[in-house]
Amino acid sequence: MSNINLIDSFQEFKDFKNIDRPTVISVLEEVFRSMLRKRFGTDENCDVIVNPDNGDLEIWRTRMVMEDGFSEDDDLEIELAEVKKLDPDMEVGDEFIEQITLESFGRRAILAARQTLVSKVLELEKDEIFKKYKDRVGEIVSGEVYQVWKKETLVLDDEGNELLLPKTEQIPADFYKKGDSVRAVIKEVEMVNASPKIIISRTAPEFLQRLFEMEVPEIFDGLITIKNIVREPGERAKVAVESYDDRIDPVGACVGMKGSRIHGIVRELKNENIDVINYTNNLSLFITRALSPAKITSIKLDDVDKKAAVYLKPDQVSLAIGRGGHNIKLAGKLTGYEIDVYRENADEDEEDVDLEEFADEIDGWIIDELKRVGLDTAKSVLALNAEELVKRTDLEETTVEEVLGVLRAEFE
């Protein structure tokens, strides 16, 4: 029996990575049963047998032998005179079993069947990839850079599946070229135009969490729990950890001897500064720890509006705010409180003027933004140049220049 490339086709199909052989065989059977239905009107009396080892196909058709002139359905029955030509020993009431060869379908029908097989198996392959990665969302995956575009990078995993790493999910210092190895967390999996779209991320908090689980056995074993993670990718991250075993120091375990455990994570994240903080239910203490390395003098909490007024010595304000305001922003995200910092001795400086005094000349939202980063008096603002103020706040350069002009006029 000529299989007309069926064996070659089957070899291709059974090599598909994510599809088990029984599934492929069932697809093959269904395709050929469809061919039988088109040709004979039914496949109820047909047996389709596929050899899983070499791809050989056998089709057997069974019809009941009827008296001449009494056959009502040629697809299910055959008259005695006709069957005698094929097998002289046949009698009325016997079952006539014959083998259907592929040649009898015609070359065009078989080529069409092969195309159908290819499309069905590819569809199955895509579904399997989708299911596999859908169940792995939040896990770390490794791959090799295959192609780099302006807005995203195409990464291939060990099995050749395509993963997309958008520019927005890359750390600012990331730079890739073809062949580079990449580690990222599976962030999102969806079907787009019947194909799985797998988005991976290096900026998601889950990526940092998985790195800690890999580097710190106590976290992987559940002895230490990560309560919360907040990040400014490539700049700074804060990780709140808690241990249910009093004998384990959660911060020390995460950092490791001489920083041995955390150094690998920092390198992976392109020297992102990671603060590991001991979690506590005491909000004042938690906020104090979150603003590390700044030393806080006192805190006033507003539990209704979720605000915290933090008072520090003048030399600690810049530490609390951090470069680019990252420290105070992350502390706020970590604790869930909006944090405002104030200089402890601001009111003692008689020559200084509170920013609220300029409410007639400076918009309230601008004053609030300056106070948010610890600048609550005219002199505290004037102590910084325009460039530094733009970096620390969300204000435009023109706005900053206008504010500085108003404040300078006060002291001239």
Side-chain angles (χ1 to χ4, degrees), residues 205-376:
E206 291 82 7
F207 183 48
L208 180 52
Q209 181 169 342
R210 297 292 172 262
L211 290 174
F212 266 102
E213 289 172 1
M214 292 168 66
E215 295 288 339
V216 185
E218 291 86 347
I219 293 178
F220 184 81
D221 294 336
L223 298 174
I224 295 174
T225 302
I226 295 177
K227 302 294 288 186
N228 195 10
I229 293 179
V230 291
R231 292 179 66 191
E232 287 285 339
E235 292 289 341
R236 198 178 194 115
K238 289 185 182 287
V239 183
V241 294
E242 183 179 29
S243 171
Y244 297 108
D245 189 334
D246 293 337
R247 294 169 298 177
I248 297 176
D249 171 21
V251 174
C254 290
V255 174
M257 187 72 69
K258 296 183 179 179
S260 58
R261 289 177 172 177
I262 207 166
H263 279 167
I265 301 174
V266 170
R267 281 195 301 272
E268 178 69 45
L269 301 181
K270 307 297 182 184
N271 295 321
E272 189 170 306
N273 192 349
I274 302 173
D275 298 331
V276 183
I277 297 156
N278 206 338
Y279 178 81
T280 174
N281 289 321
N282 183 327
L283 269 173
S284 295
L285 180 56
F286 191 37
I287 292 171
T288 300
R289 290 173 177 173
L291 283 172
S292 172
K295 294 179 181 178
I296 293 161
T297 305
S298 61
I299 298 178
K300 291 181 181 177
L301 296 178
D302 181 350
D303 294 327
V304 177
D305 295 327
K306 295 282 184 181
K307 290 185 176 182
V310 178
Y311 295 87
L312 312 94
K313 292 182 178 178
D315 62 340
Q316 296 297 308
V317 171
S318 60
L319 285 175
I321 295 167
R323 188 178 66 180
H326 294 312
N327 198 52
I328 194 169
K329 285 179 185 176
L330 291 176
K333 289 179 182 178
L334 188 73
T335 59
Y337 272 65
E338 183 182 330
I339 301 173
D340 294 318
V341 297
Y342 298 93
R343 294 169 187 267
E344 189 181 23
N345 61 351
D347 295 335
E348 297 171 8
D349 191 346
E350 296 178 0
E351 295 181 4
D352 209 344
V353 182
D354 195 291
L355 284 183
E356 296 291 348
E357 299 293 326
F358 298 90
D360 293 339
E361 300 170 86
I362 302 173
D363 290 340
W365 67 271
I366 297 175
I367 293 175
D368 290 340
E369 177 63 17
L370 292 168
K371 291 175 71 175
R372 184 183 67 79
V373 296
L375 306 173
D376 49 1

Side-chain angles (χ1 to χ4, degrees), residues 62-197:
T62 303
R63 287 186 288 175
M64 182 67 69
V65 179
M66 306 293 290
E67 290 186 15
D68 295 343
F70 284 88
S71 176
E72 297 178 357
D73 188 344
D74 291 340
D75 293 325
L76 299 173
E77 300 167 345
I78 185 170
E79 292 186 353
L80 184 61
E82 184 182 347
V83 79
K84 285 286 186 182
K85 298 174 184 176
L86 302 170
D87 187 347
D89 296 330
M90 287 272 101
E91 299 292 341
V92 173
D94 289 346
E95 288 186 340
F96 175 63
I97 302 173
E98 63 180 326
Q99 188 170 7
I100 308 296
T101 62
L102 282 176
E103 293 99 318
S104 64
F105 287 98
R107 186 175 183 85
R108 182 174 294 179
I110 294 174
L111 290 175
R114 188 181 190 283
Q115 288 180 334
T116 304
L117 279 171
V118 171
S119 63
K120 281 184 174 291
V121 175
L122 283 174
E123 190 176 306
L124 275 173
E125 170 76 0
K126 290 175 181 178
D127 286 342
E128 288 299 320
I129 293 172
F130 175 79
K131 290 175 187 174
K132 172 186 174 182
Y133 275 95
K134 191 71 174 175
D135 293 338
R136 293 183 62 195
V137 169
E139 291 183 17
I140 281 185
V141 64
S142 298
E144 183 179 300
V145 173
Y146 182 73
Q147 197 164 356
V148 179
W149 298 300
K150 187 176 181 180
K151 292 186 177 180
E152 58 190 8
T153 298
L154 178 62
V155 178
L156 300 183
D157 70 3
D158 295 337
E159 297 178 346
N161 298 317
E162 295 184 354
L163 316 173
L164 283 177
L165 178 60
K167 196 72 177 174
T168 54
E169 301 298 332
Q170 296 177 29
I171 296 169
D174 281 343
F175 176 78
Y176 298 113
K177 58 183 182 297
K178 187 171 182 177
D180 286 349
S181 295
V182 177
R183 278 204 299 180
V185 72
I186 302 167
K187 182 180 181 182
E188 186 181 344
V189 181
E190 58 184 354
M191 290 295 278
V192 178
N193 298 325
S195 295
K197 184 178 181 181

Side-chain angles (χ1 to χ4, degrees), residues 376-399:
D376 49 1
T377 67
K379 286 190 174 180
S380 66
V381 176
L382 291 171
L384 302 173
N385 58 36
E387 184 180 354
E388 185 65 26
L389 287 170
V390 171
K391 280 184 182 178
R392 291 194 183 189
T393 66
D394 291 331
L395 301 176
E396 298 289 337
E397 187 175 356
T398 53
T399 305

